Amino acid sequence: MLSQVYRCGFQPFNQHLLPWVKCTTVFRSHCIQPSVIRHVRSWSNIPFITVPLSRTHGKSFAHRSELKHAKRIVVKLGSAVVTRGDECGLALGRLASIVEQVSVLQNQGREMMLVTSGAVAFGKQRLRHEILLSQSVRQALHSGQNQLKEMAIPVLEARACAAAGQSGLMALYEAMFTQYSICAAQILVTNLDFHDEQKRRNLNGTLHELLRMNIVPIVNTNDAVVPPAEPNSDLQGVISVKDNDSLAARLAVEMKTDLLIVLSDVEGSDDAKLIDIFYPGDQQSVTFGTKSRVGMGGMEAKVKAALWALQGGTSVVIANGTHPKVSGHVITDIVEGKKVGTFFSEVKPAGPTVEQQGEMARSGGRMLATLEPEQRAEIIHHLADLLTDQRDEILLANKKDLEEAEGRLAAPLLKRLSLSTSKLNSLAIGLRQIAASSQDSVGRVLRRTRIAKNLELEQVTVPIGVLLVIFESRPDCLPQVAALAIASGNGLLLKGGKEAAHSNRILHLLTQEALSIHGVKEAVQLVNTREEVEDLCRLDKMIDLIIPRGSSQLVRDIQKAAKGIPVMGHSEGICHMYVDSEASVDKVTRLVRDSKCEYPAACNALETLLIHRDLLRTPLFDQIIDMLRVEQVKIHAGPKFASYLTFSPSEVKSLRTEYGDLELCIEVVDNVQDAIDHIHKYGSSHTDVIVTEDENTAEFFLQHVDSACVFWNASTRFSDGYRFGLGAEVGISTSRIHARGPVGLEGLLTTKWLLRGKDHVVSDFSEHGSLKYLHENLPIPQRNTN
């Protein structure tokens, strides 16, 4: 690492060259009482959170997710961030948002410091305005605007502007921080202050005292007196303070800061592509962006300062602080570990980044789609064979997961996590079903139309593109989803829960082994990096569809985070069973037991049992209650049911509850229409059942219940891709667009139109043209699926 830094003109960081000293500074503050300062306000729409902030300084964070533990943070604001785009004053809205975010973090117990630019730009506008006002009308007309711009030497003008703008800039900061009961203090420094041991000692002491009093120090270079920067003066491990980038880096290391956030309008780019993580040595292969529109340093200067701070033990993120869609929460997003800006890390992961995995899944998926159906089926058959041939290795890996999860996961989740010989055999059978159905999937002609003579149109099935499937505690989901993606020719990104890491790893390796027989190994990728789900949901340029498989909370979080990518699935599985007055005594208890007790953690398990009121206090009702007691099912009484009982179970808190355990709500309804109304009001459109011997009532229920799956005299647990004969499913969808219910192979396909002509142009079909539209339906060719 050090040799790479040497090649770029850096010197190794030497802690002994930076004794902790203070300097005499300009210190202005109208302070309020500490008791008021420390009071946490509820003014922000950003949620207040409490995080563990204790950390030993000396080594930077290796991963973004660790940034939430940063206690001492420096935020550097470039001139372009605090000034308007027309350079005619400060960007007050953006500045107010920055102050709000800093205040949020300060009130979380962090120690915040600002290094701000903007005094020169702010003062330049003030001075030009004053000059124009001081001239007579004749002088203004005679001299013109061009002369005004050239009337001062640039370096002197910058110093004068800094002198004129600094007080106004600080006054603005003070006024904004006061709105959040936070006190701010100004400190002005020059490079000479860092070379004088006594001044450095003073500076260090002043900053520590301010932080101890819960005051936000606002630091700036004293541009009114600063000398011109000396070239090549970064000697003996000490970075010169030439601009606010180098000042922020120097300050961060001097103060043993956990995190330095550098905000500018300059993007770090490599062929116009934002770099997510920057490692020492990467600068050899990176093209830096242009200089900021108003600041002194470009991206190269920022990267140099960032790498110097990184060597000193401070983590660094460089981000765009002017983007209108993210500037309002860019600082808090960075501290929360979200993928914003460029993160500097000394730890380079062994594998590819998730962006690179997305690109590999895209290219691998396109190659997969071009294979013959028989070749894709052969891959799936080979994977099915591997699941049984490598059974011992798979179960050994799963045993490690179960041992590590013991005591941390609830019993239903442990059951989901567990693999067995029978589960693997069932998986293999399901995969072979998928292979059989894949023969006539991709490239199937749905419609043929003769538009005109020698102009024929076809609509054919094609893959959706790249799927992101996020699943929890269910390693058996991986080969199922992989087989469906292979059969449909889709690229696949898989994000499994860490509780199944060992199982997922070996199952993914077997999947890639199967894919390798036709050279498409990279089509299925397992995300092993510390990517947050929210960060994955932002990859709208790489992912075409997100399919969550897990808890209702996971699905809701993904639906909320995926603003630019469609999400297919269901957030809740609130399944109902209505027991009609004409229900068979022999059937009811079997259906209720299977629906509720066979696998209560499944999304298709029964959650609410609706009983016709005529069945109360009948042998059938007593038989249902006795069975539930034997199965140790906790009963919650709905409001109507509770009113019929002298001593009732605990009344349900909500009729819209997915228990996912041996708990069940029982409610009374007057008739089938009342049951349907209840289902539509409290259900989740997943799976609902009627138990009755009256065919007319059953058909009325089947036709009027608006859910993805509606059954008559059958367990809710049949709502499953394997049981439907789809081989497997990527999930159960309650959406009304695209696929609905258990989503198998067909749900992972879309269509495209193929038009074959012979020099046809639209103008030939105009009113006076030589051709006429025919729009004749043509027969669809039958494909050989043997």
Side-chain angles (χ1 to χ4, degrees):
M1 183 189 304
L2 290 178
S3 62
Q4 295 172 332
V5 175
Y6 276 125
R7 287 199 298 271
C8 296
F10 288 88
Q11 299 295 330
F13 173 74
N14 188 333
Q15 183 68 42
H16 300 292
L17 294 175
L18 297 175
W20 302 114
V21 292
K22 308 176 185 177
C23 84
T24 305
T25 62
V26 179
F27 182 178
R28 306 196 306 117
S29 171
H30 304 294
C31 199
I32 57 180
Q33 294 299 317
S35 60
V36 178
I37 296 174
R38 296 179 186 278
H39 178 62
V40 178
R41 303 286 297 276
S42 59
W43 41 263
S44 174
N45 59 358
I46 303 174
F48 181 87
I49 58 172
T50 302
V51 293
L53 299 176
S54 58
R55 175 177 178 260
T56 303
H57 185 82
K59 188 174 182 181
S60 62
F61 293 118
H63 306 282
R64 281 185 186 269
S65 59
E66 298 172 340
L67 296 180
K68 60 173 66 80
H69 301 299
K71 177 175 177 59
R72 185 170 292 174
I73 302 171
V74 172
V75 179
K76 184 267 176 180
L77 309 176
S79 297
V81 174
V82 299
T83 58
R84 299 202 311 250
D86 59 4
E87 302 178 28
C88 294
L90 296 178
L92 296 179
R94 193 155 57 228
L95 202 59
S97 176
I98 288 169
V99 169
E100 180 184 18
Q101 294 173 77
V102 171
S103 300
V104 167
L105 298 173
Q106 182 82 1
N107 282 328
Q108 288 177 359
R110 305 180 199 267
E111 297 174 343
M112 303 299 297
M113 292 181 279
L114 283 184
V115 175
T116 183
S117 301
V120 174
F122 188 31
K124 183 180 294 185
Q125 301 307 317
R126 292 185 62 185
L127 287 183
R128 286 180 174 174
H129 182 67
E130 291 297 325
I131 292 171
L132 287 172
L133 289 179
S134 65
Q135 288 181 326
S136 66
V137 175
R138 179 174 300 181
Q139 287 174 320
L141 291 173
H142 176 72
S143 61
Q145 188 66 22
N146 291 334
Q147 185 172 337
L148 287 176
K149 290 182 179 179
E150 299 170 358
M151 61 185 301
I153 300 173
V155 66
L156 295 178
E157 183 186 26
R159 292 174 182 169
C161 290
Q166 188 64 42
S167 59
L169 180 63
M170 188 59 199
L172 188 60
Y173 274 121
E174 287 180 343
M176 288 181 172
F177 274 112
T178 299
Q179 301 301 312
Y180 307 111
S181 300
I182 291 178
C183 185
Q186 177 180 261
I187 298 178
L188 297 177
V189 296
T190 68
N191 190 38
L192 297 177
D193 294 324
F194 287 94
H195 288 284
D196 185 290
E197 184 176 344
Q198 183 60 45
K199 290 182 178 181
R200 288 173 63 195
R201 197 174 290 126
N202 293 343
L203 172 61
N204 187 272
T206 299
L207 289 170
H208 276 93
E209 185 65 14
L210 293 175
L211 295 176
R212 187 186 68 82
M213 293 190 296
N214 205 36
I215 296 172
V216 176
I218 300 178
V219 187
N220 196 358
T221 52
N222 192 350
D223 292 324
V225 298
V226 68
E230 299 177 11
N232 303 321
S233 59
D234 295 338
L235 301 176
Q236 298 179 333
V238 179
I239 189 170
S240 295
V241 177
K242 304 173 184 178
D243 50 37
N244 278 344
D245 293 321
S246 52
L247 169 61
R250 183 68 178 264
L251 182 69
V253 174
E254 292 272 1
M255 292 297 295
K256 298 183 178 180
T257 303
D258 299 317
L259 173 62
L260 167 62
I261 300 174
V262 180
L263 299 182
S264 178
D265 66 339
V266 177
E267 295 278 13
S269 62
D270 185 6
D271 294 330
K273 178 181 174 183
L274 183 66
I275 301 171
D276 174 46
I277 303 178
F278 195 101
Y279 305 97
D282 279 358
Q283 60 269 32
Q284 300 294 329
S285 59
V286 173
T287 302
F288 295 103
T290 58
K291 283 189 64 175
S292 168
R293 59 180 171 83
V294 291
M296 295 177 62
M299 182 53 64
E300 191 167 6
K302 290 171 176 55
V303 170
K304 183 177 181 181
L307 289 174
W308 192 87
L310 188 67
Q311 288 180 337
T314 296
S315 297
V316 184
V317 174
I318 298 178
N320 189 333
T322 63
H323 197 291
K325 291 185 178 180
V326 298
S327 59
H329 43 83
V330 59
I331 299 173
T332 50
D333 278 356
I334 289 171
V335 177
E336 288 173 13
K338 295 180 181 178
K339 189 171 287 188
V340 177
T342 301
F343 173 63
F344 285 72
S345 175
E346 293 185 294
V347 180
K348 193 165 187 174
T353 66
V354 68
E355 289 83 4
Q356 291 170 331
Q357 286 186 295
E359 291 172 355
M360 288 190 287
R362 173 79 69 189
S363 59
R366 286 172 176 163
M367 292 175 61
L368 185 64
T370 62
L371 296 179
E372 293 297 323
E374 295 78 11
Q375 293 175 305
R376 288 192 293 271
E378 186 182 354
I379 293 173
I380 300 170
H381 275 296
H382 188 47
L383 177 57
D385 293 339
L386 288 172
L387 290 179
T388 53
D389 294 344
Q390 304 295 324
R391 179 189 307 110
D392 293 341
E393 289 80 0
I394 297 171
L395 295 180
L396 181 62
N398 185 244
K399 182 181 178 182
K400 292 180 182 178
D401 288 326
L402 290 170
E403 290 173 349
E404 294 175 5
E406 190 68 38
R408 295 191 298 108
L409 291 183
L413 293 179
L414 282 174
K415 187 174 181 181
R416 285 187 179 186
L417 178 61
S418 175
L419 293 175
S420 63
T421 299
S422 61
K423 269 192 178 182
L424 294 176
N425 289 337
S426 297
L427 276 174
I429 294 171
L431 263 58
R432 293 187 179 99
Q433 289 180 352
I434 294 172
S437 62
S438 69
Q439 298 292 318
D440 188 29
S441 56
V442 181
R444 177 161 48 95
V445 179
L446 302 179
R447 178 184 304 174
R448 292 182 67 220
T449 305
R450 179 176 287 117
I451 303 296
K453 184 180 179 181
N454 295 324
L455 184 63
E456 293 186 3
L457 179 68
E458 284 184 346
Q459 184 184 24
V460 300
T461 57
V462 294
I464 289 175
V466 174
L467 313 175
L468 167 63
V469 178
I470 302 171
F471 56 101
E472 296 176 323
S473 305
R474 296 185 62 173
D476 54 328
C477 172
L478 193 153
Q480 289 179 333
V481 172
L484 288 169
I486 294 166
S488 57
N490 285 287
L492 180 62
L493 281 175
L494 292 160
K495 174 65 172 175
K498 61 183 178 181
E499 66 280 354
H502 299 294
S503 306
N504 289 338
R505 187 177 300 113
I506 188 169
L507 290 171
H508 177 247
L509 288 173
L510 295 178
T511 302
Q512 290 200 315
E513 181 179 338
L515 287 163
S516 297
I517 65 176
H518 287 297
V520 287
K521 176 182 177 181
E522 295 181 342
V524 176
Q525 298 286 325
L526 179 65
V527 178
N528 288 314
T529 57
R530 295 193 181 190
E531 299 296 329
E532 298 293 336
V533 168
E534 189 169 340
D535 292 327
L536 292 171
C537 291
R538 291 183 178 137
L539 302 177
D540 58 310
K541 298 294 189 296
M542 301 177 182
I543 297 168
D544 299 295
L545 179 66
I546 300 176
I547 304 172
R549 294 191 63 173
S551 66
S552 58
Q553 186 59 51
L554 169 72
V555 179
R556 282 193 295 268
D557 290 343
I558 291 172
Q559 289 173 335
K560 182 179 179 181
K563 297 178 180 178
I565 310 174
V567 178
M568 183 169 66
H570 65 279
S571 60
E572 294 173 311
I574 305 174
C575 302
H576 293 75
M577 179 179 289
Y578 166 56
V579 182
D580 185 57
S581 59
E582 300 298 322
S584 167
V585 176
D586 297 332
K587 294 177 182 177
V588 172
T589 52
R590 276 174 47 83
L591 293 173
V592 173
R593 179 188 287 111
D594 190 80
S595 297
K596 177 73 259 185
C597 309
E598 195 265 341
Y599 193 176
C603 65
N604 56 16
L606 177 64
E607 306 294 0
T608 299
L609 182 65
L610 301 176
I611 304 286
H612 194 288
R613 66 179 180 180
D614 292 347
L615 296 177
L616 291 178
R617 301 184 180 91
T618 66
L620 185 150
F621 178 76
D622 293 339
Q623 197 171 347
I624 294 172
I625 298 299
D626 290 341
M627 181 275 294
L628 292 173
R629 285 174 179 167
V630 170
E631 297 290 342
Q632 298 183 331
V633 177
K634 182 178 180 180
I635 298 174
H636 302 276
K640 291 183 181 180
F641 181 43
S643 68
Y644 281 93
L645 305 175
T646 305
F647 298 99
S648 68
S650 61
E651 187 168 339
V652 68
K653 295 180 180 179
S654 171
L655 289 168
R656 189 181 174 88
T657 301
E658 181 180 10
Y659 299 103
D661 206 345
L662 288 174
E663 297 183 59
L664 180 69
C665 172
I666 298 180
E667 182 58 312
V668 175
V669 293
D670 295 335
N671 48 49
V672 65
Q673 185 61 58
D674 195 16
I676 293 170
D677 293 341
H678 180 102
I679 290 169
H680 287 166
K681 184 174 182 179
Y682 299 108
S684 61
S685 299
H686 190 293
T687 302
D688 299 293
V689 175
I690 183 172
V691 184
T692 185
E693 296 304 304
D694 188 317
E695 183 176 352
N696 291 330
T697 303
E699 288 300 325
F700 184 84
F701 185 90
L702 293 174
Q703 297 303 319
H704 285 81
V705 171
D706 186 17
S707 296
C709 299
V710 189
F711 302 161
W712 172 23
N713 288 350
S715 168
T716 60
R717 297 276 290 118
F718 278 103
S719 182
D720 175 84
Y722 174 74
R723 297 181 183 113
F724 275 18
L726 305 178
E729 66 185 40
V730 293
I732 295 179
S733 172
T734 55
S735 172
R736 300 176 190 278
I737 300 176
H738 193 55
R740 196 177 187 205
V743 180
L745 179 57
E746 295 295 322
L748 300 181
L749 297 171
T750 184
T751 64
K752 70 177 180 181
W753 298 90
L754 305 177
L755 184 63
R756 297 179 176 90
K758 292 184 177 179
D759 194 30
H760 286 82
V761 293
V762 172
S763 59
D764 286 343
F765 295 86
S766 63
E767 184 178 354
H768 303 291
S770 57
L771 296 177
K772 299 296 181 183
Y773 289 112
L774 299 177
H775 292 151
E776 297 176 357
N777 291 328
L778 298 176
I780 297 174
Q782 298 298 313
R783 295 178 61 173
N784 183 7
T785 59
N786 293 327

